[in-house]
């Protein structure tokens, strides 16, 4: 189910008839736009004409206008981003199409200031690519209280393309970098003192808009009493109009004006009372009953009031200038001026509030606008104590909202309900459990799982199985409800690394979840595959991932579907089927690339995996290109676990290209991400770092690492520690502990064979060959190497040989028959590598350290005067990667800036 967007939030409000032109303010706004300033800020209390002014300006600018009217519900980051993109698409439909799947995915919904705001980088790239001059107007920004959304707006302001301008209307200054924008002359500000009507504008307003012909001195007195406050003038004019009607065409203006004084709050209270009391009973009652609504349309008003004159009343109020603002050009949707609504709402009695909200909830529910229905149902419940309607609507809306990524919204709904009621309902308790599981609180999630199961047992006594392997009476229980609950139990077990119980619960869930529950089945198959792979059942995991892949392809751009594809490619490679893994990635990229050849941000995961597969075949330049494409797409997402994976997998590639310092730096950066995320499954990074040190002969570092992670030849091999086990075998070999290495590798061989881990079995055979060669058992060494070649040749696992001791190359010619073309390829590449002291680097006297090929490319572009952004585009790398290369270049050249770098490069004849 897709919840419809409220189109009225995206419409530019209609221009009001007989509006007072404000050329002096329009000129100031135009001046800021012409000067290329980033932001226009209108910050003033309610009733000073902020929105009206921007509507007038928007009609004159030579730009596409994207309009977004905010409400309290937009504090949900997923909802805010959805509406932000929808607003921008009103200006240019190409903007943000690839980003929506990321917002709508539950995987990214547990928002933090380190993740969601960085999606804006992708949005900015779309805006820049569209090259459409546009103005983004964000109205009523004072309603935003969420720090994540403030962070999003900060990023927009600081990185927006030159063709983009942002306008913010607000009652109070937002927590944005306004001082910095002022210091850089990047902001145009209009405040209360600027927006007040001048005496001339007040006279025009009273005469032209309100139809009052008043003597100049009366106009001046009114302007002085209201201090140019437009809402005050409007209310005063309405009261004067009514007084004139009652007094036969002539109002006692002097007496009226003398009746109010003081600040705007008192003036407002007085004037609203005056205006309301003078209205006919039918209008007054209509206003009171509909004031609870954020937006009004005729049928909604009829539902709330119980009358049938909604359209006529709305037209009458608009014609009478009674603070009704049209939200579209069709005069179908309206809203009350917020100032007017704030004063009027407290006049309703609690029982009236409850009754009116209940009716509004019913109307919205009938049109399947469930978030709005829930908002009113919760208001009704808070006033009446009757939570039944709210529970029913939340139960209906929670699951599809979760699938769209609305974790924050669902959490808000459930938090608004009394917790005792959440725990007393199996569906709501399960939803709360999923929210907690998705946000990493496994312990709290289990509490709600238990509560949900208790509810089911109470509803179906004697028939709910105690364990998923029991099949009694399943036909008497709602299968989907129990399936989702068992699936959640499986994920809780996964979080606790209890893989046996995880598989049992998930298997039970899959028996209950049918084809009409594709999102849940996808999660079930993926969770099952995770448990199978981690317990060494790689063949079963691959089959399970294939099932998940079929479901994911039908769900289109869904982040879990991409994760499944990446996991499948990784599992195939671990199994020793590199070519099949490449095919999975290639086909996935076709699905995640649009007709214009632009890959979806989700494709970054696939590019990263494809880079590893190309590295395995020693296709280093292609691997570099895929890695950099993947990094460019993934970096703006700022999901630490993904960045950790990308950096870690790039380190062997960088080392193979001779970029040794960059390889170590990549590992260190990846490890920092693991610390931020508290990732416990990142031991492979420590093993990778130890392996790089081992290649450089730093045995002391590797010995200390082995002691730290408690490795011993007596250990039992474990799937999650395979990388550690192989590095430890290399350490034993380097230490000359051949007997320990032989015994340890025999254990690893048995483990790899039992669990069909073909890729790692190749490395075990190569290491066994090296052990036997060093021990003087050449026939045994060649027999093991022959096994390695037979496994590696059909899948092009070239790096498996090149990344081990060079002695392997000396042995390979004697096993040529096992795969002649493959052996020749390895020997050719190995010989070329040995002929270069630093593969891929430029050795120049006078350098602290040689430049890599990519650093040389960056240096050449630097000499041509290219900016960081231009270099990134030219080399298809991220701007952050360019900065890293520049930092490395400065260090190697012993300089401090671009000018010095170019000068020094010229001296060293590097250009």
């Amino acid at each position: 189910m897709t919840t419809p967007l409220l189109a009225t939030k995206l419409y530019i409000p209609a221009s009001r008839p007989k509006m007072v032109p404000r050329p002096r303010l329009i000129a100031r706004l135009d001046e800021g736009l012409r000067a290329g300033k980033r932001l226009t800020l209108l910050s003033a209390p309610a009733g000073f004409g902020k929105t009206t002014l921007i509507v007038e300006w928007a009609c004159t600018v030579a730009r596409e206008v994207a309009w977004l009217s905010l409400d309290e519900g937009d504090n949900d980051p997923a909802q805010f981003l959805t509406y932000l993109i929808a607003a921008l698409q009103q200006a240019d439909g190409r903007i943000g199409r690839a980003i929506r799947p990321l917002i709508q995915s539950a995987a990214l919904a547990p928002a933090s200031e380190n993740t969601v705001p960085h999606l804006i980088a992708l949005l900015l790239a779309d805006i820049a690519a569209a090259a459409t001059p546009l103005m983004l107007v964000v109205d009523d920004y004072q309603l935003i209280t969420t720090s994540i959304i403030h962070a999003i707006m900060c990023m927009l302001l600081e990185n927006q393309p030159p063709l983009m301008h942002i306008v913010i209307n607000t009652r109070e200054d937002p927590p944005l970098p306004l001082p910095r924008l002022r210091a850089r002359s990047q902001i145009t500000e209009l405040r209360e003192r600027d927006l007040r009507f001048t005496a001339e504008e007040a006279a025009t307003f009273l005469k032209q808009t309100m139809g009052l012909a008043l003597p100049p001195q009366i106009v001046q007195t009114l302007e002085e009493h209201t201090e140019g406050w437009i809402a005050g003038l409007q209310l005063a004019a309405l009261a004067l109009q009514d007084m004139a009607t009652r007094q036969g065409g002539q109002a006692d203006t002097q007496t009226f004006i003398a009746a109010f004084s003081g600040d705007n709050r008192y003036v407002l209270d007085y004037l609203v009372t005056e205006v309301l009391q003078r209205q006919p009973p039918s209008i007054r009652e209509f206003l009171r009953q509909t004031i609870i609504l954020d937006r009004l349309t005729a049928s909604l008003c009829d539902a709330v009031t119980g009358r049938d004159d909604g359209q006529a009343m709305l037209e009458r109020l608009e014609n009478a200038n009674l603070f009704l603002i049209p939200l579209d050009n069709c005069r179908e949707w309206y809203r009350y001026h917020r100032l007017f609504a704030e004063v009027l709402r407290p006049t309703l009695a609690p029982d009236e509030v409850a009754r009116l909200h209940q009716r509004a909830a019913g109307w919205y529910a009938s049109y399947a606008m469930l978030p709005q229905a829930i908002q009113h149902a919760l208001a009704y419940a808070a006033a009446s104590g009757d939570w039944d309607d709210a529970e029913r609507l939340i139960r209906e809306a929670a699951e599809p909202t979760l699938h769209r990524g609305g974790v924050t919204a669902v959490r808000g709904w459930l938090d608004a309900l009394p917790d005792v009621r959440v725990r007393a309902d199996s569906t709501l308790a399960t939803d709360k459990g999923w929210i907690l599981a998705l946000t990493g609180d496994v312990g709290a999630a289990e509490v709600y799982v238990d509560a949900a199961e208790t509810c089911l047992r109470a509803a179906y006594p004697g028939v709910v199985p105690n364990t998923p392997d029991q099949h009694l009476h399943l036909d008497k229980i709602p299968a989907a409800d129990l399936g989702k609950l068992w699936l959640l139990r499986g994920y809780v077990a996964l979080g606790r690394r209890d893989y046996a119980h995880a598989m049992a619960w998930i298997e039970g869930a899959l028996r209950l979840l049918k084809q009409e529950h594709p999102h849940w089945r996808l999660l079930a198959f993926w969770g099952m595959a995770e448990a199978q792979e981690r317990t060494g059942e790689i063949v079963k995991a691959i089959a399970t991932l294939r099932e998940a892949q079929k479901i994911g392809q039908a769900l289109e751009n869904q982040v879990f579907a991409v994760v499944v594809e990446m996991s499948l490619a990784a599992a195939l490679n671990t199994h020793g089927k590199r070519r099949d893994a490449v095919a999975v990635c290639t086909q996935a990229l076709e699905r995640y690339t649009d007709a214009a050849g632009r890959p979806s941000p989700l494709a970054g995961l696939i590019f990263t995996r494809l880079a590893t597969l190309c590295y395995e075949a020693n296709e280093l330049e292609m691997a570099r290109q895929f890695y950099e494409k993947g990094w460019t797409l993934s970096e703006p997402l700022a999901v630490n676990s993904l960045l950790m994976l990308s950096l870690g997998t790039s380190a062997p590639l960088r080392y193979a290209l001779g970029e040794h310092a960059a390889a170590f730096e990549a590992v260190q950066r990846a490890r920092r991400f693991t610390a931020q995320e508290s990732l416990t499954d990142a031991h492979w990074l420590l093993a990778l770092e130890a392996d790089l040190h081992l290649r450089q002969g730093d045995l002391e570092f590797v010995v200390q690492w082995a002691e730290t992670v408690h490795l011993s030849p007596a250990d039992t091999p474990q799937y999650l520690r395979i990388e550690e086990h192989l590095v430890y075998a290399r350490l034993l070999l380097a230490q000359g502990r051949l007997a320990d290495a032989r015994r340890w590798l025999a254990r690893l061989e048995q483990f790899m064979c039992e669990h069909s881990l073909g890729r790692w079995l190749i490395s075990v055979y190569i290491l066994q060959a090296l052990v036997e060669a060093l021990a003087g058992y050449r026939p045994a060494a060649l027999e093991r190497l022959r096994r390695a070649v037979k496994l590696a040749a059909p899948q092009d696992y070239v790096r498996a040989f090149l990344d081990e001791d060079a002695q392997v190359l000396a042995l390979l010619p004697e096993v040529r028959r096992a795969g002649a073309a493959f052996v020749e390829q390895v020997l050719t590449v190995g010989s070329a590598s040995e002929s270069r002291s630093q593969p891929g680097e430029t050795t120049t006297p006078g350098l602290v350290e040689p430049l890599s090929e990519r650093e040389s490319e960056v240096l050449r572009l630097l000499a041509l005067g290219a900016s960081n952004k231009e270099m990134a585009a030219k080399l298809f790398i991220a701007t952050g990667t360019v900065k890293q290369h520049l930092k490395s270049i400065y260090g190697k050249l012993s300089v401090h800036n671009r000018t010095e770098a170019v000068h020094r490069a010229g001296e060293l004849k590097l250009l």
Side-chain angles (χ1 to χ4, degrees), residues 827-903:
L827 290 172
T828 301
V829 176
S831 299
S833 298
E834 286 185 347
S835 68
R836 299 192 301 268
S837 60
Q838 293 286 352
E841 295 183 346
T842 303
T843 304
T844 303
L847 280 180
V848 174
E849 185 182 340
L851 297 178
S852 68
E853 291 180 4
R854 182 47 55 94
E855 288 168 350
S856 296
E857 292 174 338
V858 171
L859 182 60
R860 286 192 289 272
L861 291 172
L862 183 68
L864 294 173
S867 66
N868 290 4
K869 186 175 180 181
E870 290 168 338
M871 292 185 204
K874 183 75 173 177
L875 301 175
F876 207 90
I877 58 178
T879 305
T881 305
V882 173
K883 293 178 180 178
Q884 294 172 27
H885 286 315
L886 289 174
K887 181 180 178 181
S888 178
I889 291 168
Y890 295 165
K892 292 179 180 181
L893 295 178
S894 298
V895 299
H896 301 91
N897 55 48
R898 297 167 70 99
T899 303
E900 291 178 4
V902 173
H903 179 71

Side-chain angles (χ1 to χ4, degrees), residues 5 9-10 68 70 73-89 95-97 99-100 102-104 108-109 111-112 115-124 144 148-153 155-156 404-405 637:
L5 294 178
K9 289 164 62 69
L10 311 175
L68 175 57
L70 299 176
D74 294 317
N75 280 289
D76 176 0
Q79 177 168 313
F80 176 84
L81 286 170
T82 298
Y83 272 106
L84 175 64
I85 291 173
L88 292 167
Q89 288 178 339
I95 296 174
R97 284 181 297 187
I99 304 169
R100 275 195 162 177
L102 299 177
I103 299 168
Q104 295 172 348
L108 294 181
S112 73
T115 54
V116 173
H118 294 275
L119 292 173
I120 298 300
L122 303 174
L123 188 60
L124 288 166
I144 296 300
I148 298 172
I149 296 175
H150 294 318
I152 289 172
M153 292 303 298
M155 190 171 184
L156 275 174
R404 290 193 304 275
L637 300 181

Side-chain angles (χ1 to χ4, degrees), residues 710-717 728 732 737 739-741 743-745 747:
H710 308 293
L711 287 167
S712 162
D715 288 345
T716 300
Y728 185 56
L732 294 175
R737 297 166 58 184
D740 283 341
R743 285 193 296 271
W744 179 234
L745 286 166
R747 282 199 192 92

Side-chain angles (χ1 to χ4, degrees), residues 126-322:
D126 270 7
I127 294 170
T132 299
L134 67 86
M135 184 166 75
L136 170 64
V137 180
V138 185
D139 200 16
D140 281 326
Y141 193 81
Q142 75 280 349
L143 298 172
I144 296 300
T145 59
T146 305
S147 60
I148 298 172
I149 296 175
H150 294 318
I152 289 172
M153 292 303 298
C154 284
M155 190 171 184
L156 275 174
L157 284 168
E158 292 175 354
N159 300 280
Q160 66 194 62
L163 290 174
M164 181 180 180
H165 185 77
I166 295 176
V167 181
I168 293 178
N169 276 2
T170 178
R171 293 190 189 181
E172 56 193 40
D173 281 6
L176 301 175
L178 303 182
R180 185 158 67 247
L181 291 169
R182 292 185 191 111
R184 297 174 180 174
S185 298
Q186 289 293 324
I187 182 173
T188 299
E189 298 180 77
L190 294 184
R191 299 190 170 274
E192 179 181 333
R193 62 181 178 275
D194 307 301
L195 292 165
R196 293 181 183 278
F197 269 167
T198 63
E200 292 78 12
E201 289 171 333
T204 302
F205 174 76
L206 291 168
K207 182 178 181 180
Q208 178 176 301
T209 305
M210 302 305 298
L212 286 174
L214 299 175
Q217 64 272 22
I218 297 297
V219 172
Q220 182 178 351
T221 304
L222 269 177
E223 192 274 331
E224 290 173 354
H225 272 265
T226 59
E227 296 182 333
W229 180 41
I230 302 170
L233 276 171
Q234 184 175 355
L235 281 164
L238 288 168
L240 283 169
Q241 285 176 338
D242 180 72
M243 186 183 295
T245 300
R246 287 185 288 108
Q247 295 178 1
Q250 185 65 43
D252 184 356
T253 53
Q254 295 287 1
T255 302
F256 173 80
I257 292 172
F260 69 90
S261 62
D263 62 25
N264 285 349
R265 184 75 257 172
Y266 294 109
V267 171
L268 176 65
D269 290 344
Y270 173 79
L271 291 177
V272 167
T273 301
E274 283 289 304
V275 171
L276 286 178
Q277 287 179 350
R278 300 296 181 260
Q279 300 305 317
S282 61
I283 292 182
R284 192 161 63 243
E285 189 62 16
F286 181 87
L287 289 170
R288 290 183 68 258
Q289 291 179 327
T290 57
I291 206 69
I292 65 153
L293 301 172
D294 292 328
R295 287 172 175 77
L296 304 93
T297 193
S299 62
L300 174 58
C301 292
D302 290 344
V304 169
T305 63
R307 295 156 48 163
D308 61 0
D309 59 349
Q311 187 63 44
M313 292 299 292
L314 290 172
E315 293 174 1
R316 182 173 178 179
L317 292 174
E318 183 185 8
N319 292 334
N321 284 310
L322 268 175

